[in-house]
Amino acid sequence: LISALHRSGPEMEALTLEPIAAINVLIPPSMRRLNVALVDIGAGTSDIAITDMGTVIAYGMVPIAGDEITEAISDQYLLDFPLAENAKRELYAKDSIQIIDILGFESDVPKEDVINEIAPSIERLASSICNEILLLNNQKAPKAVMLVGGGSLTPELPERIARLLQLP
């Protein structure tokens, strides 16, 4: 990043961690007095920032995110990674997904069946995020959790996080 800046001419004024940058966009300063966790679920990591008392009080990361779900679909249905990624994205909007496995077999799989098959991976993602939130927030659940990023569209993930943190 610094090399690119030097070659292109501009000077760096500040460097902000991704979850803190997301909080600056999504949570206005007047709301930062509330104890809220923002979780940016990307492909390889889930970045977490927590607000309270008018500021960002903690931030962290877990090395598990959307790729974990893609890999679970790939393993379960014998799909190469790009096809598994497409199938994962279709889960958000469709009631069933059409897949063609590495052997060339085509099938139409109901959304509920896919979710049941990958439930352990969804639970592992939710649990990892919740454990880090509790660690960063002195072992107490925040008042709310905001999920952003592509991985936040994982079916049942918001409900599982709410259950684990005992939030509505």
Side-chain angles (χ1 to χ4, degrees), residues 20-28 32:
I20 295 173
I23 276 186
N24 288 332
V25 171
L26 296 172
I27 302 176
R32 293 182 201 156

Side-chain angles (χ1 to χ4, degrees), residues 3 19 48-49 55 82 87 129-130 150 162:
S3 294
I48 301 164
T55 190
I129 289 169
C130 291

Side-chain angles (χ1 to χ4, degrees), residues 70-138:
T70 304
E71 290 170 4
I73 293 170
S74 175
D75 292 347
Q76 185 61 41
Y77 295 101
L78 298 176
L79 303 174
D80 69 2
F81 194 86
L83 290 177
E85 181 68 23
N86 287 340
K88 178 181 76 174
R89 291 175 186 205
E90 287 181 0
L91 282 175
Y92 180 72
K94 297 183 178 180
D95 291 331
S96 66
I97 59 171
Q98 203 169 37
I99 58 172
I100 301 172
D101 68 21
I102 61 170
L103 301 173
F105 294 114
E106 188 174 329
S107 56
D108 194 41
V109 184
K111 178 179 186 171
E112 300 79 31
D113 291 355
V114 177
I115 292 170
N116 287 336
E117 294 292 341
I118 64 170
S121 293
I122 298 171
E123 189 68 23
R124 189 168 36 258
L125 175 57
S127 179
S128 296
I129 289 169
C130 291
N131 289 340
E132 185 69 10
I133 288 172
L134 292 171
L135 179 71
L136 294 170
N137 204 40
N138 296 317

